[in-house]
Amino acid sequence: QVQLEESGGGLVQPGGSLRLSCRPSEKLDDITNMGWFRQAPGKQREMVALNRLGGRENYASSVQGRFAIAIDNADNTVGLQMNNVKPEDTAAYYCYIATGTTTYWGQGTQVTVSS
């Protein structure tokens, strides 16, 4: 059973930066999408950043210009660089990798933006 291993969450002050990272427990083939979602208390899970096959990237409008996704195809690592974070970025962040047949989710890493 492939697991997605996330790291990098924590407490950060408004205006600060944080980097999340995610790697599958074994190499995956036929990847179509890699990215990050988040879920705040009482809210639905939403897409934050997504890298699609062919290199196209999509970002939530609320993070456009502040967050950047980074892909390492050699080991299937997907990172999320978060800059100028805001209190409304507080949420559990979930790594997401989809292949042609299977969708994988990480267990979530908490990001809290507070002074």
Side-chain angles (χ1 to χ4, degrees):
Q1 181 78 10
V2 176
Q3 305 287 331
L4 298 187
E5 301 164 350
E6 300 161 333
S7 62
L11 176 65
V12 58
Q13 292 187 344
S17 297
L18 202 64
R19 184 177 178 87
L20 306 181
S21 184
C22 171
R23 174 184 293 182
S25 56
E26 58 186 73
K27 190 80 161 58
L28 296 173
D29 296 319
D30 191 29
I31 290 177
T32 57
N33 295 280
M34 303 175 76
W36 292 88
F37 288 67
R38 69 185 180 187
Q39 187 167 18
K43 295 187 177 181
Q44 290 189 330
R45 188 173 296 188
E46 62 172 356
M47 185 275 291
V48 176
L50 197 62
N51 180 284
R52 303 181 186 275
L53 183 67
R56 291 176 296 148
E57 294 181 351
N58 295 99
Y59 293 92
S61 58
S62 59
V63 307
Q64 185 79 43
R66 300 188 297 121
F67 291 10
I69 193 169
I71 304 294
D72 185 339
N73 290 310
D75 60 1
N76 300 154
T77 300
V78 52
L80 183 69
Q81 179 65 41
M82 306 167 62
N83 297 324
N84 189 24
V85 296
K86 303 176 180 181
E88 50 264 42
D89 294 322
T90 295
Y93 283 71
Y94 297 88
C95 177
Y96 164 84
I97 297 179
T99 70
T101 58
T102 309
T103 298
Y104 300 94
W105 290 94
Q107 291 190 330
T109 184
Q110 180 66 34
V111 172
T112 301
V113 183
S114 175
S115 55

